[in-house]
Amino acid sequence: MTALVTLWYLSLALCVLAVLAVLALLAARVAAGRFTGRREDARRRLLPVMLGGDPDHLQRLHGTDLAVAADLAGELAEMTRGSERDALLARAAALGVTDLLLCRLRSWSPQARLHAVEALAQFPGGHDYSLVALDDRNPDVRLGAALALAQCGTSPDPLTVVSKLKAGEEEHSLLLVSLMRDLADADSEAVASLMFDENLSHRVKFAALEALSDRGGEYAPLLAYMVRETAQHPEWQPRLFRALGRTGHPAGAEAIVAGLHDANWIVRSAAAEAAGRARLAQAADRLAEMLCDDHFWVRYRVSEALLRLGPRGIATLRAASESRDPVVSAAASKMLAEGKAA
């Protein structure tokens, strides 16, 4: 009998706990709904003020209203330019947004510090705070500060930025490429000089090369040089070949054709892709030979490159589609069909 009573009490306790848990969830849902509702009400009230208020007659905000105003300032600043943006930031400062952002810079939360430094960079005088954030203990905050400075055109030189980011040691974000693009817009020569710094990681150099490849053929010789210098590191070459192909410059032709003969199939595939993007007519004969490559992905990239070469490549594909070799004919026929569908 004692065991049954114990089980009954245990069941009752579990039921009570379940009810309490459900009540707690309901209370949290109600509280979250009220909080969200207050923020939405604040957004509706503050939006006209942010867009058209007189900074000299605005009163400082507090609590939820101030937090909402800070979020609105960041959102609206990204959508405005020129005098409208300056007026918006002046209103935000009058409402106390800058003081709130400065407080968030001292937060224990890396996310809060990141949002604060990104927003502060848009305000007059925010440059100094972003520079300080380049020494933040969190790599994401450092990267956010670097991006904000680069986008505003007030960034230090690329080597200083990379050194502070400790890129390749603690930084693993694809945003590094975006940062390099912004830095290259301001000083492409300084970004190119990173290639020759032996203390920098290849992660940094690859990001810089991708940024430089977007600038057309100006840096194609440098990319071709890097391809030759990394011949002993096939794991690095695919990214380099893709960057070289994007330039479309004849200076990269020799390096790309050499890559088509590489023993590593991944490198051959990347070189074939680069030949197609660069429209290298002189690579047509070698590409035709590669239609019988042992690896499917190489054959696909080769046939795709031939299609991009225009009439000469298409003629090669048509001839290959009639080959007695089923592998060659299949690769050429499928690409011709894809070309017609496109």
Short mmCIF file of all heavy atoms in Angstrom, two decimals, residues 19 59-60 63 76 79 90 115 119 121 136 140 144-145 167 183 188 199 215-216 222 241 283 304 312 324 328 334 337:
data_model
loop_
_atom_site.label_atom_id
_atom_site.label_comp_id
_atom_site.label_asym_id
_atom_site.label_seq_id
_atom_site.Cartn_x
_atom_site.Cartn_y
_atom_site.Cartn_z
N VAL A 19 1.67 21.78 -14.75
CA VAL A 19 0.77 22.93 -14.76
C VAL A 19 1.55 24.23 -14.55
O VAL A 19 1.32 25.24 -15.22
CB VAL A 19 -0.32 22.76 -13.68
CG1 VAL A 19 -1.12 24.06 -13.51
CG2 VAL A 19 -1.25 21.63 -14.04
N GLN A 59 13.23 66.43 -27.02
CA GLN A 59 13.59 66.08 -25.65
C GLN A 59 14.25 64.70 -25.63
O GLN A 59 13.91 63.82 -26.40
CB GLN A 59 12.34 66.07 -24.76
CG GLN A 59 11.69 67.43 -24.62
CD GLN A 59 10.49 67.40 -23.69
OE1 GLN A 59 10.01 66.33 -23.31
NE2 GLN A 59 10.01 68.58 -23.31
N ARG A 60 15.18 64.55 -24.70
CA ARG A 60 15.90 63.28 -24.58
C ARG A 60 14.94 62.16 -24.15
O ARG A 60 14.05 62.37 -23.33
CB ARG A 60 17.04 63.40 -23.57
CG ARG A 60 18.12 64.38 -24.02
CD ARG A 60 19.19 64.52 -22.95
NE ARG A 60 19.94 63.29 -22.82
CZ ARG A 60 20.99 62.98 -23.56
NH1 ARG A 60 21.40 63.79 -24.53
NH2 ARG A 60 21.65 61.85 -23.38
N GLY A 63 14.64 54.73 -21.51
CA GLY A 63 14.05 53.39 -21.49
C GLY A 63 13.81 52.81 -22.88
O GLY A 63 14.64 52.91 -23.79
N LEU A 76 17.38 53.76 -40.52
CA LEU A 76 17.12 54.87 -41.43
C LEU A 76 18.41 55.45 -42.00
O LEU A 76 18.44 55.90 -43.15
CB LEU A 76 16.34 55.97 -40.70
CG LEU A 76 14.92 55.58 -40.25
CD1 LEU A 76 14.31 56.68 -39.38
CD2 LEU A 76 14.03 55.31 -41.45
N MET A 79 19.43 53.92 -45.18
CA MET A 79 18.57 54.18 -46.33
C MET A 79 18.61 55.63 -46.80
O MET A 79 17.95 55.99 -47.77
CB MET A 79 17.12 53.81 -45.98
CG MET A 79 16.92 52.33 -45.69
SD MET A 79 15.17 51.89 -45.44
CE MET A 79 14.86 52.64 -43.84
N ALA A 90 21.44 64.08 -36.60
CA ALA A 90 21.35 65.18 -35.63
C ALA A 90 20.14 65.00 -34.72
O ALA A 90 20.22 65.24 -33.50
CB ALA A 90 21.26 66.52 -36.38
N HIS A 115 26.76 45.98 -32.50
CA HIS A 115 25.72 46.86 -33.01
C HIS A 115 26.03 48.33 -32.71
O HIS A 115 25.78 49.22 -33.53
CB HIS A 115 24.37 46.48 -32.41
CG HIS A 115 23.84 45.18 -32.93
ND1 HIS A 115 22.86 44.46 -32.30
CD2 HIS A 115 24.15 44.47 -34.04
CE1 HIS A 115 22.61 43.36 -32.99
NE2 HIS A 115 23.37 43.35 -34.05
N ALA A 119 26.70 51.34 -35.52
CA ALA A 119 25.84 52.52 -35.57
C ALA A 119 26.64 53.80 -35.33
O ALA A 119 26.45 54.81 -36.01
CB ALA A 119 24.73 52.39 -34.52
N ALA A 121 29.64 54.51 -36.04
CA ALA A 121 30.50 54.89 -37.17
C ALA A 121 29.80 55.84 -38.12
O ALA A 121 30.47 56.59 -38.86
CB ALA A 121 30.95 53.64 -37.92
N ASP A 136 39.09 45.64 -29.69
CA ASP A 136 38.16 44.91 -28.83
C ASP A 136 38.63 43.46 -28.65
O ASP A 136 39.31 42.89 -29.51
CB ASP A 136 36.76 44.93 -29.46
CG ASP A 136 35.68 44.46 -28.49
OD1 ASP A 136 35.46 43.24 -28.38
OD2 ASP A 136 35.07 45.32 -27.84
N ASP A 140 34.66 39.37 -33.70
CA ASP A 140 33.52 39.85 -34.49
C ASP A 140 33.34 41.36 -34.34
O ASP A 140 32.98 42.05 -35.29
CB ASP A 140 32.24 39.12 -34.08
CG ASP A 140 32.27 37.66 -34.46
OD1 ASP A 140 32.94 37.32 -35.44
OD2 ASP A 140 31.64 36.84 -33.76
N GLY A 144 33.57 44.08 -37.26
CA GLY A 144 32.49 45.03 -37.47
C GLY A 144 32.99 46.47 -37.49
O GLY A 144 32.57 47.28 -38.32
N ALA A 145 33.92 46.78 -36.60
CA ALA A 145 34.50 48.12 -36.57
C ALA A 145 35.29 48.40 -37.85
O ALA A 145 35.21 49.48 -38.43
CB ALA A 145 35.40 48.27 -35.35
N ALA A 167 43.69 38.59 -38.47
CA ALA A 167 43.04 37.74 -39.48
C ALA A 167 43.90 36.53 -39.78
O ALA A 167 45.11 36.62 -39.95
CB ALA A 167 42.80 38.54 -40.76
N LEU A 183 38.33 48.27 -48.68
CA LEU A 183 39.67 48.85 -48.55
C LEU A 183 40.29 49.09 -49.93
O LEU A 183 40.99 50.09 -50.14
CB LEU A 183 40.57 47.92 -47.73
CG LEU A 183 40.21 47.77 -46.25
CD1 LEU A 183 41.09 46.71 -45.59
CD2 LEU A 183 40.34 49.09 -45.51
N SER A 188 43.73 50.61 -53.59
CA SER A 188 43.96 49.26 -54.11
C SER A 188 45.44 48.88 -54.06
O SER A 188 45.78 47.70 -53.88
CB SER A 188 43.43 49.15 -55.55
OG SER A 188 44.09 50.08 -56.40
N ASN A 199 54.46 37.78 -43.25
CA ASN A 199 53.87 37.50 -41.94
C ASN A 199 52.36 37.32 -41.99
O ASN A 199 51.76 36.94 -40.99
CB ASN A 199 54.21 38.65 -40.97
CG ASN A 199 55.70 38.77 -40.72
OD1 ASN A 199 56.39 37.76 -40.59
ND2 ASN A 199 56.20 40.00 -40.68
N ARG A 215 38.35 44.26 -59.75
CA ARG A 215 38.70 45.54 -60.35
C ARG A 215 39.13 45.39 -61.81
O ARG A 215 39.71 46.30 -62.39
CB ARG A 215 39.81 46.20 -59.53
CG ARG A 215 39.48 46.32 -58.05
CD ARG A 215 40.55 47.06 -57.29
NE ARG A 215 40.59 48.47 -57.67
CZ ARG A 215 39.77 49.40 -57.19
NH1 ARG A 215 38.83 49.07 -56.32
NH2 ARG A 215 39.87 50.65 -57.58
N GLY A 216 38.85 44.21 -62.39
CA GLY A 216 39.17 43.99 -63.79
C GLY A 216 40.57 43.47 -63.98
O GLY A 216 41.14 42.81 -63.11
N LEU A 222 49.45 40.15 -61.22
CA LEU A 222 49.73 39.77 -59.84
C LEU A 222 49.07 38.44 -59.50
O LEU A 222 49.67 37.57 -58.85
CB LEU A 222 49.23 40.86 -58.89
CG LEU A 222 49.36 40.56 -57.39
CD1 LEU A 222 50.80 40.32 -57.00
CD2 LEU A 222 48.76 41.71 -56.56
N PHE A 241 42.63 30.53 -59.26
CA PHE A 241 42.22 30.44 -60.66
C PHE A 241 40.86 31.11 -60.88
O PHE A 241 40.65 31.77 -61.89
CB PHE A 241 42.16 28.97 -61.09
CG PHE A 241 43.48 28.44 -61.59
CD1 PHE A 241 44.12 27.40 -60.95
CD2 PHE A 241 44.08 28.98 -62.72
CE1 PHE A 241 45.33 26.91 -61.40
CE2 PHE A 241 45.29 28.50 -63.19
CZ PHE A 241 45.92 27.47 -62.52
N ALA A 283 42.84 28.36 -75.49
CA ALA A 283 42.73 27.15 -74.66
C ALA A 283 41.76 26.14 -75.25
O ALA A 283 41.59 25.05 -74.69
CB ALA A 283 42.28 27.53 -73.25
N GLU A 304 31.52 23.33 -70.18
CA GLU A 304 30.94 24.64 -69.87
C GLU A 304 31.84 25.75 -70.42
O GLU A 304 31.36 26.74 -70.98
CB GLU A 304 30.79 24.78 -68.36
CG GLU A 304 30.15 26.07 -67.90
CD GLU A 304 30.08 26.16 -66.39
OE1 GLU A 304 31.13 26.00 -65.74
OE2 GLU A 304 28.98 26.36 -65.86
N ARG A 312 33.63 29.02 -81.80
CA ARG A 312 34.69 28.00 -81.88
C ARG A 312 34.46 26.90 -80.85
O ARG A 312 34.58 25.71 -81.17
CB ARG A 312 36.05 28.65 -81.66
CG ARG A 312 37.20 27.65 -81.75
CD ARG A 312 38.55 28.32 -81.60
NE ARG A 312 39.63 27.36 -81.65
CZ ARG A 312 40.92 27.66 -81.52
NH1 ARG A 312 41.27 28.94 -81.37
NH2 ARG A 312 41.84 26.73 -81.56
N ARG A 324 33.06 8.67 -80.94
CA ARG A 324 32.78 7.28 -80.62
C ARG A 324 33.00 6.98 -79.14
O ARG A 324 32.53 5.94 -78.65
CB ARG A 324 33.68 6.37 -81.47
CG ARG A 324 33.40 6.45 -82.97
CD ARG A 324 34.30 5.50 -83.73
NE ARG A 324 34.04 5.56 -85.17
CZ ARG A 324 34.69 4.83 -86.08
NH1 ARG A 324 35.66 3.99 -85.68
NH2 ARG A 324 34.39 4.94 -87.36
N VAL A 328 33.06 11.20 -73.90
CA VAL A 328 33.22 12.49 -74.58
C VAL A 328 31.90 12.95 -75.18
O VAL A 328 31.49 14.12 -75.00
CB VAL A 328 34.30 12.39 -75.68
CG1 VAL A 328 34.37 13.68 -76.50
CG2 VAL A 328 35.65 12.07 -75.06
N LYS A 334 25.36 16.87 -73.44
CA LYS A 334 24.63 17.45 -72.32
C LYS A 334 24.83 18.96 -72.23
O LYS A 334 23.90 19.72 -71.95
CB LYS A 334 25.06 16.76 -71.03
CG LYS A 334 24.58 15.34 -70.88
CD LYS A 334 25.09 14.71 -69.60
CE LYS A 334 24.62 13.25 -69.50
NZ LYS A 334 25.14 12.57 -68.28
N ALA A 337 22.88 20.71 -74.93
CA ALA A 337 21.47 20.76 -74.55
C ALA A 337 21.22 21.84 -73.51
O ALA A 337 20.23 22.57 -73.57
CB ALA A 337 21.03 19.40 -74.02
#
